[in-house]
Structure formats: C-alpha cells, structure tokens
Amino acid sequence: MYTATAGVILPTTIIGSLPRPGWYTQNLGRRDFREAMVDRTYREQYLDAVSAYLRDQETAGLDIVTDGDCRFDADVAGHNWFSYAPLHMEGFAGGRPYRVQGGLAGIPHKPGHILHDVLETRVMPDLVGPVGRGNLSYTAIWKAAQRQTTKAVKFGTITPELIAMSVRDLYYKDLRKAILAVSDALNEELHELADAGCKVIQMEEPQIHLLAAKGLVDKLLNPEFMVEVFNNTVRGLRAKTEVWCHTCWGNPAAQRLFARQPSYVPALEALGRVDADVLTFETCSSGGMDLEAIGRRIQDQKICIGVVDHHTLQVETPDEVAALIRKALQHIPKERLVLGSDCGMGREGMSRRHAYYKVVSIVRGTNIVRRELGLPEAACLAAEERFSMVGRDK
C-alpha cells in the first residue's frame, strides 16, 4: 500500500542512520526501551537526539524522514544494528565473542584492517530457546519520533536471516527453523507497528543480493529461500502500510566490504518477487552502473536510488545529484522513482555536518530536476541565502 509516497513525484528520503551528536552519550544496552525512558538522563538525551535528527531532515527539505536509528548504541562500526534485535528478543541470552566459524554473518578480515576491529568487538548472544518478540519496542520507539514531526517517519529493521546467521544456535540447531522463527516473531512485532500508524516499514538487507557476493549460496542459503523469508516476515503488512526493501553493499565504519563493486544484475529477478512497495539500491557509489538493468527488471515496485555515497566524506554537489537522477530517469519513470542515500550514514563513518550536507544535496539536486520537469520544489531552509550569517559589503 502506497502511503508516504502516494501521489508524490520524486520524493526524497534517507535510508536510516545518522551520526550521533557528541552530547548523546547514553546507551540503551540490554534495557527495555520503556524502562530506559524512565531514566531522566537517558530520556532527555534520547528525545533531544531524535528531535535534532528530525529537525536536520526538515530543514534540508526531505519528504520522508527517519529517527536516525537513535535506539542503537555508540559502539564500534555501528554493530548494534546487528545486535539490537537479538539482545531484546526472547530466546537469546549470554554474550559470545565472534569466532570465524561461530556465525555466517561477517567477512573475516586480518589484523591490521579496520574491519578486524569489527570482528574483535562483535559480541552476540546465543540462541537458547523459542524465539519471541521480547521487548523490541518498535512501536514505542517509532512513536517517540513520529510525535515530533508531521512528516512520515520511516522505521527500519534488520532481516531475520541476518539475526539467525549472526548467532550460535543452541536451541533449534537448524538454520532454516531458526530463521523462520525469527521471521514469525518480527512479523508479529511489525503488525503492531503498522497498526499504530507507521506509514513506512523498511526491511533492511535481505541477503538476496549479498549471498552470491559473499560466496554463501547453498541448498539453504539461496535467493529462493531469502525471498520466502522476506515475504513471510512482511506477510499482511502491505494491506496496512508501505513496505520498503533496502539493499546495499554494506557500511560498517563506512567501509566497503568488497574490493570490486558487485552488480545487482544476478539478483534482480529474485528482488522483483519480494512483497514490497519500494526497493532501494546503492547506486551513487557505482556511478549508477546498474540503473538500466534495474529499470528493465523491476517493473512492479517503486525504485529508490542512492544519490549520495555513505562511504565518503566528500559531499556530492547538487549538480552531481541531479545528473544521477537524470540518468535514472532514462530507465525509470518519474512516477516510480524515489531519491535517497546509498545506505545509512551513522555507523561510525562521518560527522553530523558531513551527513547533513549530503542530505541537503539530495534535496537541492532533486529540486534541480523537479524544476526542469515543471514539478513543485521542496523548501530547503539550509540553502536560503537570506539566512546566511555572512554579510555583504555595500
């Protein structure tokens, strides 16, 4: 169901995370979100950080905003994106440091590589009992943001296979069963979120495109099963809300996971079968190399392309953003095109100022193309010359 993007031509957004303010020093850890919000220091910092994230996106002029993934802790490379769900769901306990054979999620890097730090600091609970929702608190977390803005707040969550592949399974002892158990629990949680009024739910990183790139395709871990898992996780949701499927090529500590940029082409047929309204693609970092194939193969969903790169501190100019949008419009109708970032910008990668001006460039570049097409432009307070503090000599 199209809700947030319904009737909007060339809507703008970001994928999710934003860099933490320096004064946001509190971490949620394993606490229940509602219990943590009783702590007045945590509550003040958390709500102020969400407010800052939202206001930055509003002054930039985005159409659809996020809470900056504010619930995630300040840890090495943004690992809490992986660990938040199992730390708060039923059926998980303890804490086990990463071992090369201890989980399928993760690419082993040697000491001396920045991503080796990610492995050293990856501590995940074990799967020890039946999986349940536990205290994920997705609805409460979304409400804490949505009540601070009139714009639609998009809420994102990790996919079931990544959770199950990241932990040691001492209960099901069967990866397929573990993945589907997590999928069922997430589906229940996400229905509560949709029923509360969340207009956009984003499933992040189904392994459809990444399995081949990681060399993990086998009888269980293959695109067919990943499509089954995705569709099971979101079953029934599109009757209530707009469902997004986010894909990218990774961003721990804003690093590239692959020496050569992979192509989406081998995965497009399978991605076209996921039960989603919008598919997102990392396209800025590749110069839009797959845009023609994406436009040709993805016919039934809207397509969100990244027009700023989360790997680099170089802020894309509005003209560069506009050029990539024009390239996309050669293959994707404007009615089905959404503009965003390649991935989140908050996993220990850049400063708030760099991220902010990347967001501003998304809007300013889109406004150039809107102007060319005779479409209404978005207000971008960040670019208003009359508000500059730099004076002019008479």
Side-chain angles (χ1 to χ4, degrees):
M1 174 191 295
Y2 290 114
T3 54
T5 65
V8 184
I9 306 298
L10 302 182
T12 57
T13 188
I14 57 173
I15 292 304
S17 67
L18 289 167
R20 272 192 166 217
W23 43 261
Y24 181 24
T25 57
Q26 290 282 307
N27 281 330
L28 180 62
R30 294 175 182 249
R31 290 182 293 175
D32 178 287
F33 177 73
R34 290 294 303 279
E35 291 178 359
M37 290 294 276
V38 175
D39 178 335
R40 63 184 184 182
T41 301
Y42 180 85
R43 184 185 183 92
E44 179 178 338
Q45 289 192 12
Y46 181 87
L47 292 176
D48 285 357
V50 171
S51 179
Y53 289 143
L54 294 172
R55 190 59 186 148
D56 280 353
Q57 293 168 84
E58 289 174 337
T59 60
L62 289 184
D63 297 301
I64 301 166
V65 298
T66 79
D67 69 354
D69 282 352
C70 199
R71 67 187 181 274
F72 295 147
D73 292 345
D75 55 9
V76 172
H79 179 252
N80 201 220
W81 179 79
F82 277 98
S83 63
Y84 176 86
L87 287 176
H88 292 86
M89 297 178 79
E90 295 169 351
F92 298 88
R96 184 172 188 263
Y98 176 86
R99 297 176 66 87
V100 174
Q101 298 300 324
L104 293 171
I107 299 176
H109 288 88
K110 302 292 185 183
H113 193 292
I114 185 173
L115 293 182
H116 186 74
D117 284 0
V118 178
L119 301 180
E120 287 190 340
T121 56
R122 175 172 284 184
V123 179
M124 296 287 282
D126 288 327
L127 178 49
V128 298
V131 174
R133 293 167 59 190
N135 57 5
L136 283 171
S137 303
Y138 283 176
T139 300
I141 292 167
W142 168 77
K143 285 181 176 180
Q146 188 62 79
R147 67 189 184 186
Q148 297 192 56
T149 182
T150 57
K151 293 180 180 286
V153 175
K154 175 160 60 81
F155 189 91
T157 180
I158 191 172
T159 47
E161 63 268 30
L162 275 175
I163 297 172
M165 291 163 65
S166 299
V167 301
R168 183 173 59 168
D169 180 6
L170 304 178
Y171 180 73
Y172 297 100
K173 299 180 181 179
D174 181 308
L175 183 56
R176 178 184 177 87
K177 290 181 179 178
I179 291 173
L180 291 175
V182 176
S183 175
D184 288 339
L186 284 178
N187 178 260
E188 186 178 346
E189 182 76 14
L190 294 172
H191 269 281
E192 180 187 273
L193 176 61
D195 290 340
C198 181
K199 288 187 175 182
V200 187
I201 293 176
Q202 177 173 275
M203 303 303 300
E204 297 174 350
E205 295 299 3
Q207 295 296 282
I208 296 166
H209 62 302
L210 282 161
L211 286 176
K214 290 180 177 179
L216 288 177
V217 176
D218 57 29
K219 291 183 179 179
L220 173 63
L221 296 174
N222 56 67
E224 290 300 315
F225 181 49
M226 295 299 97
V227 171
E228 177 187 342
V229 172
F230 186 98
N231 292 346
N232 183 69
T233 308
V234 302
R235 67 186 185 279
L237 286 176
R238 289 180 71 191
K240 300 178 178 181
T241 189
E242 187 166 309
V243 175
W244 289 35
C245 169
H246 167 61
T247 73
C248 75
W249 300 111
N251 75 335
Q255 300 302 299
R256 299 179 188 275
L257 293 179
F258 303 95
R260 294 183 62 184
Q261 183 81 352
S263 171
Y264 281 107
V265 171
L268 290 176
E269 188 278 329
L271 284 170
R273 291 188 280 112
V274 300
D275 193 13
D277 298 292
V278 179
L279 298 178
T280 82
F281 295 93
E282 177 179 331
T283 54
C284 182
S285 67
S286 68
M289 71 176 186
D290 287 332
L291 284 173
E292 181 178 358
I294 291 169
R296 184 172 62 252
R297 297 302 298 269
I298 306 300
Q299 295 287 327
D300 297 328
Q301 299 105 329
K302 291 186 178 181
I303 297 168
C304 176
I305 65 165
V307 293
V308 296
D309 186 354
H310 58 291
H311 297 108
T312 173
L313 297 183
Q314 188 66 38
V315 176
E316 293 79 3
T317 68
D319 286 335
E320 290 171 332
V321 170
L324 188 54
I325 296 172
R326 294 189 199 102
K327 185 175 183 178
L329 286 171
Q330 295 176 20
H331 311 290
I332 304 164
K334 64 181 184 296
E335 293 81 9
R336 290 201 296 118
L337 185 61
V338 182
L339 296 318
S341 54
D342 273 350
C343 192
M345 293 180 279
R347 294 182 68 188
E348 201 190 35
M350 63 179 68
S351 71
R352 286 183 67 196
R353 197 154 57 91
H354 287 96
Y356 178 66
Y357 283 101
K358 281 178 177 281
V359 176
V360 170
S361 281
I362 293 173
V363 176
R364 294 184 67 196
T366 303
N367 275 346
I368 291 173
V369 177
R370 287 166 170 158
R371 194 178 312 132
E372 293 169 351
L373 297 175
L375 298 170
E377 297 178 40
C380 181
L381 287 173
E384 284 277 1
E385 289 191 20
R386 61 197 172 110
F387 297 137
S388 170
M389 291 185 286
V390 177
R392 292 179 179 273
D393 290 334
K394 293 183 180 180

